[in-house]
Amino acid sequence: MVSLKRQLKQILIHRQHKLYERELISKNLTYDEWIKSQEERLNISTIKVLNKKKLTNDSKSGDYEWDKLENELKNSENDADFEFLEVFDGSGQYFQGTMTVLCASALSFCKRAEALLQKYCPDVVVLSAQEGRISGIAVPLICQAFGNSENTLIIYGDEDRVKDGGEPGERGIRENPWFKPDWSPDRFLSSFYFGTLAAFRTKAILDALPSVKSMAENLPGGAAKDKDKSMDGAAWLYALSYEILKDTCAFEKGHDYEKLSVRHIRQVLFHSLKDGCEQTESLRLPERMMKEVKPEEKPLLSVIIPSKDNPEALFYCLDSLTERTRSSYPFEIVLVDNGSREENRQKILRKVQELNGQSCLRGCRYYYKAMPFNFSAMCNLGAEKAEGELFLFLNDDMEIVCPDWLDKMADKALLPYAGAVGAKLLYPGSDIIQHAGITNLRVGPAHKLQFLSDEKVHYFGMNRGVHNMLAVTGACLMMRKDVFAEAGGFCETLAVAFNDVDLCYTVFEKGYYNIVRNDVMLYHHESLSRGNDGDSPEKQLRLLSEKDTLYERHQPLYGKDPFYHPYLTTDMLEQAYSPAYRYQVTLDMPWSEAVLDTGVVGKAREDKCLVVGMECAMDIFKWKYGVPAEHMPGVFEEKGEKSPEKDARRPESFGDTGYYFQGYSFIIGADNACYKKNLLLKNKDDGRVWQIPVDNRYRPDIKNNVQDQQNVDLTGFAAKLKKNAVPEGVYQFGMLAEDKCSRLKLVNWSNWVLEVRTDGKTFG
């Protein structure tokens, strides 16, 4: 009998594995498949390449001047690196007549650029810096973009790699995409992130040529790689780009992309034979290319530190600040206390007196005002009392590591287009990243790369050099006084969370660029002051309410980030920069039916080996648009007004009247292929539990983090629930996992809650 039971169980396990593998195959898309489906949607069918002409040694043009140029090319190892194209827009929407395009290797082109341009007079020149293939969609998209705006002088795009050097779509499998940010002036100054391919208007090249060669030869990383090459092709491309951009509005305040001289096409324009970053990471502009501030012109810098009843951490921060900082900028310290106990207040007063005796400081002042914790109000008070022209808002749990950190941040903050400037923060005594800039995802502001090791270079250098980000953390945030005033300071409605993000979003909306210096590193003894957000349902509801406030104030930015490519994951709280094909977040799933539990959950074994990670639980309309329907202009019209157009703007017309849930769950030490899961909602008042079927999702990020666990590829889950499917109240989330090969049932609960109200509003 025992043997028969074992055999039966093995049959059940085998069946579950087959079902699991079948589902995994259907949901595990490859990048090659996914990117082709994205490119099929592009509207470039009217733009045709009419003629192609290879300018090679085999060309028999009969033209003496071309033959002369051809003989020169015989001495080059890249004598077939030139192609001349005529492009026609059948719609006439983007440009009239034909646009002529010269495609070339940057290294070959730079040696005889003037001769080529004068002979063939192309409208556009497309240059590549390493071996590979220009994408089939590249030239039509480039011509479309140049035709769209006369102001555009340079275009760059994304790139991927072709495995084993095959042709894309034939032998070659596309992999390892580099999806880049839109124009990022500070990343450009830090490294040539345009990468392998860039396109230029011919006139812009001709105007820049006289200055390019000497600059390229002096670029760090741009020296000749062997005696047969006058310079590195990527370095020449970088120098050319800089010479064209430096006298345009590219390094000025403003985000009007129609007026910018540089444009990013958010599509793969080049298939490389190796990673593009290998050639561009070492390239950066010398410091002399940037604005220098004379010592006598360096303004006073005010370091503003909010703190309460945390003297040990505060004093450690102050000591590291005064002892380890070597700054050419004069600086003062402004301490803001919202109500420390008298004993601690006296300790701080004595410390202030001690600091005022140090020559490295212009002074230290202490402002005490008992009030409820409000980070925004404390920072605004510090700014009001500060005397400097530069403000540095610094948490009291920071530890200074790099002596030149203040100068590097201040040099950036003084640039006329600079908004907030932040630094890379690590967890103390480790190489683990806590902060490397804030990315604006659909699920909210996210700290990409958090908890990953800084020893490794992540996603084409995102933890190296200098980057433009939509926001930086208020734990270490520098800004000019005039920019802070223009933004209106910190929003005091956001007392605890998202106040730094809100300030950065406001600054961005004013036209400034926010910057994170990953070449400046500090230790952050995180949350020593007030604990972690989300520890309790009350804290979580407050956090979610403040996130709602953030996006109500910045609704046009919801789900958008010009420095984070839309082909990267926008709907997952994962640390890595991952292409979106891995997750397929979508709402096209059937509605789940909430079923009132009849006692199954109560009989299940409550066990923390069942991991429950909630990532999203919110109104679908708000998930799509960032604000509740009642706050969306034009959604609800005045009573009595009826028309098809107005009715079409109501959320119910889009099927948006419901809730969306998303997260991950797995059982530690078990074969996860054998388990079926149901999401649980438990009413906090009456204890009733509702079961909700979920759709499994492929989650390679979870698999990579728990590689010792079995069958955790499909640990993601998602579900949709219609409005009024459950009664009003506050609900706690949980998970029920049922082993389909035994009678074992497990249950565990998350700290996440969802508040459903009779007025239709939800917090979650």
Side-chain angles (χ1 to χ4, degrees):
M1 181 63 72
V2 174
S3 177
L4 183 61
K5 285 183 177 179
R6 286 178 180 170
Q7 289 178 20
L8 179 60
K9 185 170 183 178
Q10 288 303 314
I11 292 172
L12 292 173
I13 291 173
H14 180 72
R15 182 194 299 171
Q16 287 300 121
H17 281 186
K18 286 289 185 183
L19 293 171
Y20 184 85
E21 289 167 8
R22 192 181 306 159
E23 184 177 8
L24 178 58
I25 290 171
S26 69
K27 293 183 176 178
N28 183 10
L29 285 178
T30 67
Y31 164 69
D32 192 70
E33 294 168 330
W34 176 82
I35 192 64
K36 289 172 184 173
S37 69
Q38 301 301 311
E39 292 173 349
E40 287 171 359
R41 303 174 187 176
L42 297 175
N43 183 25
I44 53 173
S45 59
T46 64
I47 301 178
K48 308 287 187 183
V49 177
L50 299 181
N51 295 302
K52 286 186 180 182
K53 181 180 180 182
K54 283 279 187 183
L55 308 184
T56 71
N57 286 344
D58 297 326
S59 173
K60 302 297 181 184
S61 65
D63 188 298
Y64 173 77
E65 291 185 17
W66 169 244
D67 289 340
K68 183 179 178 182
L69 180 59
E70 214 176 17
N71 289 330
E72 292 179 16
L73 287 170
K74 286 181 180 179
N75 298 320
S76 168
E77 62 184 47
N78 295 306
D79 62 351
D81 279 351
F82 300 87
E83 189 172 50
F84 193 77
L85 312 175
E86 290 185 17
V87 184
F88 174 72
D89 176 17
S91 70
Q93 180 180 354
Y94 304 105
F95 56 90
Q96 302 294 324
T98 60
M99 189 177 288
T100 53
V101 180
L102 177 64
C103 299
S105 143
L107 183 60
S108 298
F109 179 82
C110 74
K111 296 176 182 179
R112 45 193 55 80
E114 213 165 347
L116 281 166
L117 296 181
Q118 289 177 354
K119 172 63 182 174
Y120 285 94
C121 303
D123 298 302
V124 173
V125 178
V126 179
L127 300 176
S128 56
Q130 62 177 248
E131 290 183 282
R133 298 283 185 273
I134 296 176
S135 165
I137 63 174
V139 170
L141 285 174
I142 287 169
C143 291
Q144 184 184 72
F146 275 125
N148 255 335
S149 172
E150 294 182 356
N151 295 314
T152 304
L153 302 178
I154 301 178
I155 289 172
Y156 67 97
D158 309 315
E159 56 192 271
D160 57 20
R161 184 173 62 191
V162 178
K163 188 176 182 180
D164 301 326
E167 292 286 346
E170 298 175 9
R171 300 187 313 277
I173 301 298
R174 295 165 65 177
E175 61 181 9
N176 203 28
W178 182 7
F179 294 132
K180 303 169 189 174
D182 289 347
W183 169 238
S184 304
D186 296 282
R187 184 168 185 180
F188 178 85
L189 295 171
S190 174
S191 67
F192 188 49
Y193 79 93
F194 288 4
T196 303
L197 183 136
F200 305 84
R201 287 195 191 274
T202 296
K203 184 180 184 305
I205 296 178
L206 289 170
D207 291 343
L209 276 178
S211 308
V212 170
K213 184 177 180 181
S214 61
M215 179 185 170
E217 290 175 341
N218 290 321
L219 273 175
K225 291 189 174 179
D226 59 62
K227 63 182 181 181
D228 296 324
K229 297 181 181 180
S230 60
M231 67 190 73
D232 180 86
W236 190 87
L237 208 56
Y238 193 6
L240 175 64
S241 300
Y242 176 75
E243 286 298 324
I244 292 172
L245 293 174
K246 69 178 183 179
D247 296 323
T248 71
C249 62
F251 296 98
E252 296 175 3
K253 175 184 172 185
H255 303 301
D256 187 341
Y257 292 101
E258 292 303 314
K259 294 181 180 178
L260 272 178
S261 53
V262 55
R263 179 173 174 183
H264 171 220
I265 292 178
R266 296 171 172 177
Q267 299 293 336
V268 174
L269 303 186
F270 193 81
H271 309 300
S272 179
L273 300 184
K274 58 182 178 179
D275 289 340
C277 195
E278 292 176 15
Q279 279 200 331
T280 63
E281 215 177 28
S282 61
L283 291 172
R284 60 179 180 80
L285 288 173
E287 293 295 328
R288 62 182 174 80
M289 299 294 179
M290 305 172 210
K291 181 181 177 182
E292 292 186 9
V293 182
K294 297 177 181 178
E296 64 274 12
E297 295 176 352
K298 293 191 174 182
L300 177 66
L301 194 157
S302 297
V303 182
I304 300 166
I305 305 177
S307 186
K308 176 191 173 183
D309 281 327
N310 200 22
E312 185 177 342
L314 172 63
F315 295 170
Y316 190 78
C317 171
L318 292 171
D319 289 342
S320 71
L321 171 62
T322 56
E323 293 170 8
R324 300 176 190 173
T325 301
R326 300 291 179 267
S327 178
S328 59
Y329 287 84
F331 67 95
E332 64 170 2
I333 296 175
V334 179
L335 301 178
V336 180
D337 189 332
N338 67 315
S340 289
R341 299 191 306 272
E342 184 59 28
E343 176 188 356
N344 289 331
R345 184 181 179 186
Q346 292 303 319
K347 287 181 181 179
I348 296 171
L349 285 169
R350 288 193 292 272
K351 185 66 176 179
V352 169
Q353 188 176 8
E354 174 191 323
L355 289 171
N356 277 320
Q358 297 188 11
S359 59
C360 65
L361 281 178
R362 283 288 182 92
C364 178
R365 297 194 304 283
Y366 177 46
Y367 296 95
Y368 181 93
K369 183 179 180 181
M371 59 179 176
F373 179 82
N374 186 314
F375 180 83
S376 296
M378 294 171 74
C379 288
N380 288 341
L381 176 60
E384 181 185 327
K385 302 297 184 181
E387 296 178 356
E389 293 302 312
L390 280 173
F391 295 161
L392 172 67
F393 299 97
L394 194 70
N395 274 20
D396 63 359
D397 54 2
M398 302 301 300
E399 179 184 350
I400 309 308
V401 179
C402 308
D404 61 350
W405 71 287
L406 210 54
D407 280 23
K408 284 186 173 180
M409 292 183 70
D411 288 348
K412 278 293 180 187
L414 288 174
L415 294 173
Y417 62 79
V421 180
K424 177 166 62 184
L425 308 183
L426 303 182
Y427 287 101
S430 76
D431 65 357
I432 304 302
I433 298 169
Q434 188 270 331
H435 172 81
I438 294 173
T439 299
N440 188 37
L441 305 182
R442 186 189 291 275
V443 290
H447 292 257
K448 283 287 184 179
L449 306 183
Q450 188 176 19
F451 306 123
L452 301 183
S453 171
D454 195 43
E455 286 295 307
K456 180 182 177 181
V457 178
H458 297 283
Y459 202 71
F460 302 96
M462 286 305 298
N463 57 323
R464 298 287 185 265
V466 185
H467 296 261
N468 294 106
M469 305 288 284
L470 202 55
V472 301
T473 178
C476 179
L477 185 156
M478 185 181 289
M479 188 178 292
R480 297 198 310 274
K481 178 180 180 179
D482 61 305
V483 177
F484 185 79
E486 186 179 346
F490 285 93
C491 173
E492 297 188 12
T493 303
L494 297 167
V496 181
F498 303 118
N499 32 53
D500 49 358
V501 180
D502 173 81
L503 176 63
C504 290
Y505 286 5
T506 301
V507 164
F508 174 80
E509 288 164 343
K510 297 288 183 183
Y512 297 98
Y513 287 87
N514 297 318
I515 304 161
V516 61
R517 294 209 68 144
N518 286 314
D519 57 349
V520 172
M521 185 265 289
L522 291 84
Y523 284 141
H524 186 196
H525 298 258
E526 188 182 25
S527 297
L528 287 175
S529 304
R530 58 180 178 84
N532 291 313
D533 290 322
D535 287 347
S536 67
E538 293 75 22
K539 283 187 177 181
Q540 191 208 349
L541 288 174
R542 183 261 303 158
L543 186 70
L544 293 170
S545 177
E546 291 191 331
K547 188 173 80 170
D548 285 349
T549 300
L550 172 72
Y551 286 116
E552 285 170 14
R553 287 170 54 84
H554 306 282
Q555 203 278 329
L557 281 177
Y558 177 71
K560 298 175 184 176
D561 188 332
F563 310 111
Y564 186 81
H565 200 290
Y567 280 178
L568 293 171
T569 305
T570 62
D571 301 285
M572 296 287 181
L573 286 175
E574 54 133 8
Q575 288 78 38
Y577 284 78
S578 297
Y581 76 92
R582 293 181 180 174
Y583 301 102
Q584 304 105 52
V585 174
T586 174
L587 292 180
D588 59 354
M589 69 183 87
W591 292 96
S592 296
E593 182 180 352
V595 178
L596 184 63
D597 179 64
T598 56
V600 175
V601 173
K603 294 177 183 177
R605 188 178 84 202
E606 188 165 342
D607 198 325
K608 292 190 180 298
C609 73
L610 173 56
V611 176
V612 186
M614 291 297 300
E615 296 173 320
C616 180
M618 61 193 299
D619 179 283
I620 291 177
F621 190 91
K622 193 165 69 174
W623 184 84
K624 282 186 173 183
Y625 307 111
V627 295
E630 62 269 19
H631 293 167
M632 177 72 85
V635 170
F636 290 121
E637 303 296 337
E638 290 296 323
K639 233 177 180 182
E641 291 189 25
K642 291 212 170 212
S643 72
E645 293 80 11
K646 289 169 183 172
D647 288 342
R649 288 197 293 267
R650 294 180 180 274
E652 55 266 26
S653 66
F654 292 105
D656 296 333
T657 54
Y659 311 126
Y660 174 67
F661 308 132
Q662 174 187 299
Y664 59 89
S665 179
F666 61 92
I667 300 97
I668 298 171
D671 184 351
N672 283 267
C674 295
Y675 282 84
K676 178 185 177 183
K677 302 185 186 77
N678 275 359
L679 189 64
L680 303 177
L681 284 176
K682 180 167 68 175
N683 191 294
K684 299 282 283 184
D685 292 327
D686 60 25
R688 289 191 298 171
V689 176
W690 302 80
Q691 292 194 37
I692 302 170
V694 296
D695 183 46
N696 294 329
R697 295 296 171 88
Y698 176 56
R699 290 298 296 266
D701 58 322
I702 304 299
K703 180 183 178 181
N704 291 337
N705 287 336
V706 290
Q707 295 183 19
D708 58 336
Q709 300 300 311
Q710 188 177 1
N711 289 324
V712 286
D713 305 77
L714 296 174
T715 53
F717 66 81
K720 287 194 309 185
L721 193 64
K722 289 185 176 180
K723 287 275 189 181
N724 305 318
V726 295
E728 69 168 348
V730 175
Y731 289 86
Q732 181 182 11
F733 284 92
M735 186 66 69
L736 174 69
E738 179 183 359
D739 188 344
K740 302 303 290 183
C741 303
S742 74
R743 297 180 179 179
L744 179 64
K745 294 181 178 64
L746 301 174
V747 67
N748 197 16
W749 300 95
S750 165
N751 285 332
W752 270 63
V753 294
L754 174 76
E755 183 180 5
V756 179
R757 290 160 40 175
T758 53
D759 58 9
K761 298 178 183 178
T762 60
F763 291 101

